Amino acid sequence: MIEHLVIDDEPQLRGPTLIAAFAGWPDAGEVASGSMRYLLRKLRAKKFAAIDPEIFYAFTEVRPHTTLVGPYQREIRWPSNEFHYWRGADDLDLLLFLGREPNLRWKTYVGTVLALAEQCQVKRLIALGGTFGSVPHTGEPRVSGTAMDPSFRGALEGLAVRSSSYQGPTSIHSALLDACRQRGLASGSLWGHAPHYLQAAPNVKVCYGMLRKLSELLDLPVDLEEMRGAAHALELRVDRLLADNSELQEYVRQLEASEERSAEPPAPSGEPPEIPSPEAVVQDVEEFFRQEQQRRREEGDAPPP
């Protein structure tokens, strides 16, 4: 699978952990990609390799972007799948992968990711995902997950990360985790659950919740204060938007009550739960945010989250 990689450097790492995030279907609210971009920036991770996108995407579905880079000069930006590395203290090294769920040749794509992981002597893999759900924007964000390795699974349980048996349409996460299982590589996933009525992207509050769990899991010294402040600001902003709408406030209270008494395990086995159908989404909530966005545009203000 190495032929699909473009490798610029060969970092010397000490049994690193590979953290992977994929834009696209398994990235509701840009929870996974937003979390990864924050990690890349805060850790100042260095790019060293990428996957050639040519055989993995239908470019009529995932279109490249054209950007003006100078007078009469344009640059095409293809779907990117990039590997970065970070060397930490106490033998804590990371490979950080930010890609896009492919349209085609999933087995080859997964094999390519794991070929580089094997070359870098990765000792475990964690996949990040985001899903929409019937959860409130208030309180502690719901983070769920699963792990194939018993000790890894025990560590997640120690962080109050619960799992469930999901069956249904699958994402690249399941293909990746299954390939890890076949290779004997410890692996697991973390999923952040974003409120289905809030289309903020990235949903920084859910990103913050997931990064806190990840930091505790790996004992990762990453500064989350910036993300924590943005998460608090987002919640306050949504609260202000709901202040004059008693029906929406009541709906959020119902979600809060449901969250408190819910006994069903929220986490997918490497998968997000089935995204709610449009009929399941409260129409009043959608209409409220559409009207608020239109009003702010007309007044020249920034759009709401």
Side-chain angles (χ1 to χ4, degrees), residues 101 106-107 109-111 114 148 170-183 269-271:
E101 185 179 62
W106 279 23
K107 292 181 180 180
Y109 180 91
V110 165
L114 293 183
M148 302 293 182
T170 194
S171 75
I172 194 65
H173 291 67
S174 282
L176 182 61
L177 297 188
D178 187 61
C180 288
R181 178 188 59 80
Q182 294 177 28
R183 288 166 171 78
S269 295
E271 284 301 318

Side-chain angles (χ1 to χ4, degrees), residues 126 140-145 151-162 190 209-219:
I126 303 172
E140 187 73 16
R142 182 191 293 185
V143 179
S144 60
S151 62
F152 199 170
R153 187 161 56 247
L156 290 179
E157 291 172 354
L159 296 174
V161 175
R162 296 170 293 169
L190 288 174
M210 188 157 68
L211 286 175
R212 283 182 59 196
K213 297 292 188 184
L214 181 67
S215 298
E216 292 180 48
L217 179 65
L218 299 179
D219 196 18

Side-chain angles (χ1 to χ4, degrees), residues 99-281:
R100 172 170 287 277
E101 185 179 62
N103 305 118
L104 308 167
R105 299 177 179 87
W106 279 23
K107 292 181 180 180
T108 304
Y109 180 91
V110 165
T112 300
V113 172
L114 293 183
L116 188 62
E118 182 178 354
Q119 182 172 311
C120 294
Q121 299 182 329
V122 165
K123 64 180 180 182
R124 61 181 169 183
L125 179 147
I126 303 172
L128 306 181
T131 180
F132 286 120
S134 298
V135 296
H137 69 279
T138 56
E140 187 73 16
R142 182 191 293 185
V143 179
S144 60
T146 192
M148 302 293 182
D149 180 74
S151 62
F152 199 170
R153 187 161 56 247
L156 290 179
E157 291 172 354
L159 296 174
V161 175
R162 296 170 293 169
S163 63
S164 71
S165 54
Y166 170 84
Q167 299 183 83
T170 194
S171 75
I172 194 65
H173 291 67
S174 282
L176 182 61
L177 297 188
D178 187 61
C180 288
R181 178 188 59 80
Q182 294 177 28
R183 288 166 171 78
L185 178 63
S187 62
S189 63
L190 288 174
W191 289 86
H193 295 242
H196 62 67
Y197 60 86
L198 182 58
Q199 300 301 308
N203 189 314
V204 290
K205 182 170 182 180
V206 183
C207 290
Y208 175 61
M210 188 157 68
L211 286 175
R212 283 182 59 196
K213 297 292 188 184
L214 181 67
S215 298
E216 292 180 48
L217 179 65
L218 299 179
D219 196 18
L220 184 62
V222 60
D223 182 6
L224 296 179
E225 277 304 299
E226 181 183 339
M227 184 70 81
R228 184 192 66 80
H232 181 64
L234 175 62
E235 182 171 350
L236 291 178
R237 191 176 182 186
V238 176
D239 286 342
R240 286 197 298 270
L241 292 173
L242 300 181
D244 296 327
N245 192 310
S246 59
E247 291 184 2
L248 296 186
Q249 290 180 32
E250 176 58 29
Y251 177 65
V252 172
R253 282 193 290 268
Q254 291 175 10
L255 291 179
E256 291 171 338
S258 177
E259 187 76 358
E260 290 177 359
R261 65 173 179 265
S262 175
E264 62 180 22
S269 295
E271 284 301 318
E274 192 171 354
I275 296 175
S277 66
E279 293 77 14
V281 180

Side-chain angles (χ1 to χ4, degrees), residues 53-54 57 59 62-65 75-82:
E54 180 68 19
Y57 298 93
F59 293 132
V62 180
R63 289 188 177 273
H65 285 200
E75 179 181 274
I76 296 179
R77 296 183 179 177
W78 303 90
S80 64
N81 295 269
E82 297 179 343

Side-chain angles (χ1 to χ4, degrees), residues 1-13 46-53 81-85 95 97 111-121:
M1 305 298 179
I2 295 294
E3 65 268 24
H4 303 301
L5 290 164
V6 179
I7 301 176
D8 301 321
D9 190 11
E10 295 185 8
Q12 300 302 310
L13 303 172
K46 298 179 181 179
K47 177 190 169 186
F48 74 99
I51 297 176
D52 186 337
N81 295 269
E82 297 179 343
F83 294 88
H84 300 73
Y85 71 91
L95 285 189
F97 176 73
T112 300
V113 172
L114 293 183
L116 188 62
E118 182 178 354
Q119 182 172 311
C120 294
Q121 299 182 329

